Amino acid sequence: KQEVTQIPAALSVPEGENLVLNCSFTDSAIYNLQWFRQDPGKGLTSLLLIQSSQREQTSGRLNASLDKSSGRSTLYIAASQPGDSATYLCAAVTDSWGKLQFGAGTQVVVTP
Amino acid sequence: NAGVMQNPRHLVRRRGQEARLRCSPMKGHSHVYWYRQLPEEGLKFMVYLQKENIIDESGMPKERFSAEFPKEGPSILRIQQVVRGDSAAYFCASSPRGTTLYEQYFGPGTRLTVT
């Protein structure tokens, strides 16, 4: 059974620092991995989708890497801003229907 | 192109009542997933539907919960005889295809409170 873990559970950094968020999964037979952002009381916003054949994806200040062999994905956010404060979730797809298996998330606070 | 819409955004029910949660997928999307986020827990898959078909309901509690996605209209998640443990945020997501190639787009969620 797939287990998705995100460590740390919470992270606080000063504005301008780069953020590094970790996601690990126990079953390397994933189809893809998706990173989301969730603001308090709100829904999820998709940030990046990495297919199993890819090693990384980039969008603006965001870069996500995927290493299936080690069961890890990392989300990098460059030059963090207070507006980046949110909970970041990773989710792996391990069946062909596309259902997502989520980690518990990393709560990020960027202080001005 | 409007995003995924869910209503109501907040729903309060007394124990024993029924709760109906609605999800309208993005235009052109015919695949819907429901997830539940219990307090202090992560998001868990509940059910995956295509128009008029339930494809995977492996995450649905065996009793009191049902889901449908009719040919016309929104997808409905129905909870009968609600209990306090059903209090949670319920999210739906839609996708143009039920495959692994496409992102899932999430709605804002329905926050159910059972008193």
Side-chain angles (χ1 to χ4, degrees), chain A residues 23-40:
Chain A
C23 173
S24 61
F25 44 94
T26 54
D27 185 349
S28 62
I30 64 170
Y31 287 84
N32 67 45
L33 190 134
Q34 200 167 348
W35 282 93
F36 296 90
R37 167 186 173 139
Q38 185 175 27
D39 292 283

Side-chain angles (χ1 to χ4, degrees), chain A residues 32 41 46 97-100, chain B residues 33 35 56 58 100 103-104 111:
Chain A
N32 67 45
S46 177
W97 297 121
K99 70 185 184 193
L100 294 163
Chain B
Y33 304 79
Y35 297 86
D56 181 351
S58 59
T100 62
E103 294 174 64
Q104 291 181 29
R111 279 147 185 86

Side-chain angles (χ1 to χ4, degrees), chain A residues 76-95:
Chain A
Y76 300 91
I77 303 177
S80 61
Q81 305 167 358
D84 294 328
S85 298
T87 296
Y88 291 82
L89 299 161
C90 70
V93 171
T94 53
D95 75 8

